[in-house]
Each structure stands twice: as C-alpha cells, then as structure tokens.
Amino acid sequence: DSGVTQTPKHLITATGQRVTLRCSPRSGDLSVYWYQQSLDQGLQFLIQYYNGEERAKGNILERFSAQQFPDLHSELNLSSLELGDSALYFCASSERPGVTDTQYFGPGTRLTVL
Amino acid sequence: DQQVKQNSPSLSVQEGRISILNCDYTNSMFDYFLWYKKYPAEGPTFLISISSIKDKNEDGRFTVFLNKSAKHLSLHIVPSQPGDSAVYFCAASDPHRSGTYKYIFGTGTRLKVLA
C-alpha cells in the first residue's frame, strides 16, 4: 500500500460525458502527478501540482483539467469524453517536486468510455 | 515519438538465474533514470534509480547500469525470484529550463520468473 488513494476504482461512462477522478496523496506529500496509461502504452505524464499550484504540464488535452486543493487532494476532470480516453489513470505523490523525490503511485482509476 | 523504448515486451527467466531488462532512450538531456515495478491491479512501485553522473547503482538483488554513450540502461535482477514476476517500466527525467521536469516512461517489459 503506497498510501496514495484514488477513487473511484472503476468508471464506466458514455461518450460526451464528463467525469472527475479523485486522488489523495500520502500524508506529508505536497506534490501530485497525474498519468494516463492506455492499452499497451507506457504511462503518459499529464500534469503536476505542488502545494496547490501547477508545476509542470505534459501532453494533457484541453478537454482535461486538474487542480490541487488546500487539503492537497487533487482532482482530474475529463470532459467531452471520447472512446480513446478509455485508459488507466494514475495519480502519484511525492514529498517535494524534485527529480530525485520518489513518486508513489496510487492503484489507478480504470475509465471505460462506451 | 517514443523517447524511452523497451523493445522486449516480455521476458521469461528461470528462478535463481539473472534477469536483464533493457531500455533505450533518445534524448541526451535526460539526467535521471528510474525503474518501476508493477503488479496487476496495483500502481507502479519505485524500484531503483540512477543519476546520469553514475554508471552503476546497486540495491540488494537489483542493479541498474547506465551507458550514456549508447543511451542505454539495463536492470539486472540476481537471483530472480517468482515474486519478481511483474511488469517493469523504465523512466527518464526530462528536465525543463524552468526547473521543472517530467518523467517519460517506456511501454514496459513483462517479466515472468519460472519456478
């Protein structure tokens, strides 16, 4: 158990809909990262927050947005969903945003868009 | 454009023998490399890392080797155990001028250790 929690575990929805994925980092961790893993792909970095502020951005679509709240939990919002958005979405956290700060991953949310 | 490549999707090794997982990268600016292990229905777990200023890092049964001139790194597991059966992801840190960075992950190699 990494200490990072993600809800829900599974999500099934239809094209065009909007969903929110939630992540609670490990106690004491200030930095949160979101990744997408599509079938047979590596983890694609989406976005990073540190203490409530956006720190780094990857290949995140404009239909996707995220935020980190004062209590440090984070939400990833996916809108106008398409079939290709079906994937595993992982959240990770680290104590600080440094490159050598180990990222601890949650168990992921599996999103299925029908 | 896959900047971090794991060309072997799967690998089978006998228990007790050495497992060697390979990873190639294309960007010479990458300065920090990691290996993560992933079991089914779980998130990836950090295994070992290496800075670009080193060519070897060892942690128990796990050793990572970095060959910067070849842009290649490898993970050696000796001796391999059935509990090592998992998907292994190689990752590289892509630094930005702003001081931020992001991890670029490979597509993973599924290791199966046979008892």
Side-chain angles (χ1 to χ4, degrees):
Chain A
D1 184 358
S2 65
V4 179
T5 60
Q6 289 186 249
T7 56
K9 274 193 170 177
H10 302 275
L11 199 47
I12 300 175
T13 188
T15 54
Q17 294 298 303
R18 173 190 167 95
V19 296
T20 297
L21 312 184
R22 183 187 168 104
C23 168
S24 292
R26 290 187 328 151
S27 176
D29 285 358
L30 300 180
S31 201
V32 169
Y33 312 77
W34 285 98
Y35 292 86
Q36 178 193 56
Q37 185 185 18
S38 302
L39 193 64
D40 294 331
Q41 297 292 311
L43 287 83
Q44 301 290 323
F45 170 72
L46 295 178
I47 198 163
Q48 177 197 5
Y49 282 84
Y50 174 62
N51 208 15
E53 293 192 5
E54 184 183 305
R55 181 87 177 189
K57 220 166 183 175
N59 298 324
I60 187 167
L61 298 172
E62 284 192 15
R63 300 183 285 110
F64 296 1
S65 65
Q67 53 183 326
Q68 186 180 28
F69 294 87
D71 67 353
L72 301 176
H73 91 272
S74 178
E75 292 180 357
L76 179 66
N77 300 296
L78 316 175
S79 61
S80 302
L81 285 168
E82 302 174 359
L83 295 177
D85 297 327
S86 295
L88 263 172
Y89 291 85
F90 288 103
C91 168
S93 73
S94 66
E95 190 176 344
R96 292 177 301 270
V99 67
T100 59
D101 287 286
T102 300
Q103 293 185 24
Y104 295 89
F105 282 78
T109 292
R110 183 173 292 280
L111 173 66
T112 302
V113 182
L114 301 175
Chain B
D1 180 25
Q2 196 76 22
Q3 294 188 74
V4 176
K5 298 176 187 176
Q6 294 178 258
N7 292 318
S8 298
S10 63
L11 175 68
S12 290
V13 171
Q14 210 65 37
E15 181 180 6
R17 305 296 291 268
I18 184 171
S19 294
I20 300 176
L21 295 94
N22 294 304
C23 178
D24 297 297
Y25 61 96
T26 58
N27 190 338
S28 57
M29 296 301 291
F30 290 162
D31 59 0
Y32 191 72
F33 302 88
L34 311 94
W35 285 93
Y36 275 81
K37 178 171 75 172
K38 185 183 180 304
Y39 293 118
E42 294 182 13
T45 303
F46 170 75
L47 196 56
I48 193 168
S49 62
I50 187 167
S51 166
S52 60
I53 62 172
K54 293 186 173 182
D55 54 19
K56 178 182 172 181
N57 188 26
E58 195 171 348
D59 184 2
R61 296 186 298 113
F62 302 91
T63 303
V64 56
F65 295 91
L66 175 62
N67 182 333
K68 287 189 291 293
S69 60
K71 296 193 184 72
H72 177 84
L73 65 156
S74 61
L75 174 68
H76 293 209
I77 306 174
V78 184
S80 301
Q81 299 173 353
D84 296 329
S85 297
V87 177
Y88 289 78
F89 290 98
C90 166
S93 167
D94 181 13
H96 293 181
R97 267 176 291 175
S98 62
T100 63
Y101 74 96
K102 62 181 181 183
Y103 286 170
I104 310 289
F105 280 83
T107 52
T109 295
R110 185 178 302 276
L111 173 67
K112 190 171 184 179
V113 180
L114 307 168

